[in-house]
Every structure is written in C-alpha cells, then in structure tokens.
Amino acid sequence: GAVVSQHPSWVICKSGTSVKIECRSLDFQATTMFWYRQFPKQSLMLMATSNEGSKATYEQGVEKDKFLINHASLTLSTLTVTSAHPEDSSFYICSALSGSGQRTYTFGSGTRLTVV
Amino acid sequence: AQTVTQSQPEMSVQEAETVTLSCTYDTSESDYYLFWYKQPPSRQMILVIRQEAYKQQNATENRFSVNFQKAAKSFSLKISDSQLGDAAMYFCAYGKVAAGGTSYGKLTFGQGTILTVHP
C-alpha cells in the first residue's frame, strides 16, 4: 500500500534554532499534503494544507512565518519550524492525499520535536 | 463547518469481548466520507474502516464494523473479539467529497477515545 516516510522520527533542538521535517510519498504522487500537530492524548490539530507547486493554506491561529511549508514536488513536502521555542515542542504528523484512483489519506509516522 | 464529537474519552473492554465506540458529526452536506483511525502507542495513524455516506450498507473489516445512521448523524465503531493489540486511541473523522465521488480536502477529527483491553 501507499507509504509516507517522515523524518526525523524525533529531534531535540535548542531554543532559537530551526528544524526541518520531511515527508516523502514513496510509491505514489501526493497532490495534497496536510500537516498536523498533536499534544499527548489529544486529537490531531490541522496546521496547514499544501498542494504541490502552490502556497500552503494555514489554519486560523497558525503562524505562517513560523511554520514554513514547502511542497515543491509531488513526492516531497517539508515543514520547517523557525526560531523554535519550548512551546513548539509537540508531535507533528503529515498526511498525504493520493492524486488518482480511490483517493486515500496516508499518514507519516510522526516527528516528536523537543525544544530545550 | 463540520464538527465531529466523540463523547467517550476512555473505554475499556475484556479480551475477546465486544466494545462499541461512539461518534456523532454535524454537516450540511449530503455526501461525504467517514473514517475510523487507530493510533497505537507508536502513534502511527492506521485506517481501520471507511464509510461512504451514499452507501446504506454498513462497512465491515474483519472484526471491525460500523453502525452508520445518516439521519441521526451517528457513526459508531464496533470491535468484536477484542484483542490486546486493539488497545489504542481511536479517532473518528469526517472527509468531504469532490465531484466524481473522490475524497478531497482536510479531515475533521473527533477528540479521540482511548481504548484499553484487559487480558
């Protein structure tokens, strides 16, 4: 089946630095990628939706200058957390929507970000 | 805007028994998709079952089945013969439908239900 590879699975960074998270669709073309944030034992909060070659659409309350999303190709989308602070520590998950056939939502394995 | 509500923050079941997780949703659309996802401790989201709103027949996947009540906007998940590996957080989700019947757009998730399976 469809696989989305998300890296890194966990990362620790210092406050003020930037961190990039990658999601790659391995065997299909992802026309649309969704980025979520999840706190422990809570639901997934959609941060933004990106379509290949277009600017991402951010949900209300999400700082677009802080969470930079790039979807430059049909198989790669990245989320960069700029000038990270401890409150950005969370679990980030990507989800890709395949472009043809019976469209399905395939999730990456997530990235645990800890900002110290 | 669509909303999805899971009113059971936690549920527990004995191994081999049956448990039902509740989900209600609100929408003005007539066609849409509904999903149940499982998130085990690994936190990998796994699709359990999917239901197209235009289909009256309830979806089933082995030990997992749904009770889809469109008029009541209810979409419950029944897990039969529960196994220890079923322990996870379960999310109900709503997805829009594009012309042609394909999925598009973001999923709206419920708050989640933590399922514990006792041996």
Side-chain angles (χ1 to χ4, degrees), chain B residues 2 4 25 27 29 32-34 92-96 106-108:
Chain B
Q2 291 79 22
V4 179
Y25 59 94
T27 183
E29 304 289 334
Y32 44 87
Y33 287 99
L34 295 167
C92 178
Y94 170 102
K96 288 186 176 181
K106 62 184 181 182
L107 290 178
T108 301

Side-chain angles (χ1 to χ4, degrees), chain B residues 15-117:
Chain B
E15 199 175 5
E17 297 295 310
T18 296
V19 64
T20 299
L21 307 184
S22 301
C23 173
T24 59
Y25 59 94
D26 188 26
T27 183
S28 58
E29 304 289 334
S30 60
D31 201 9
Y32 44 87
Y33 287 99
L34 295 167
F35 306 83
W36 277 99
Y37 282 92
K38 169 184 177 181
Q39 189 180 42
S42 68
R43 303 191 80 170
Q44 173 71 59
M45 294 288 285
I46 301 167
L47 176 64
V48 175
I49 205 162
R50 166 186 175 137
Q51 173 83 43
E52 290 90 339
Y54 70 88
K55 290 186 177 179
Q56 293 186 339
Q57 187 172 6
N58 290 323
T60 62
E61 285 288 341
N62 300 312
R63 298 182 295 107
F64 298 88
S65 61
V66 297
N67 183 2
F68 174 48
Q69 300 290 327
K70 191 173 184 179
K73 295 181 182 175
S74 170
F75 184 60
S76 61
L77 174 70
K78 185 172 82 171
I79 306 174
S80 304
D81 186 25
S82 296
Q83 300 176 359
L84 295 177
D86 295 333
M89 192 159 189
Y90 286 80
F91 292 100
C92 178
Y94 170 102
K96 288 186 176 181
V97 174
T102 59
S103 300
Y104 85 104
K106 62 184 181 182
L107 290 178
T108 301
F109 286 92
Q111 303 91 325
T113 297
I114 297 173
L115 177 66
T116 302
V117 182

Side-chain angles (χ1 to χ4, degrees), chain A residues 54-101:
Chain A
S54 303
K55 286 187 177 180
T57 301
Y58 290 81
E59 295 297 300
Q60 191 171 10
V62 177
E63 298 176 63
K64 60 179 67 177
D65 294 330
K66 182 170 191 56
F67 299 100
L68 300 180
I69 291 172
N70 184 284
H71 194 164
S73 77
L74 285 171
T75 59
L76 175 64
S77 179
T78 60
L79 166 66
T80 301
V81 183
T82 63
S83 186
H85 291 284
E87 57 266 29
D88 299 324
S89 298
S90 189
F91 191 71
Y92 294 88
I93 308 174
C94 64
S95 175
L97 185 60
S98 63
S100 61

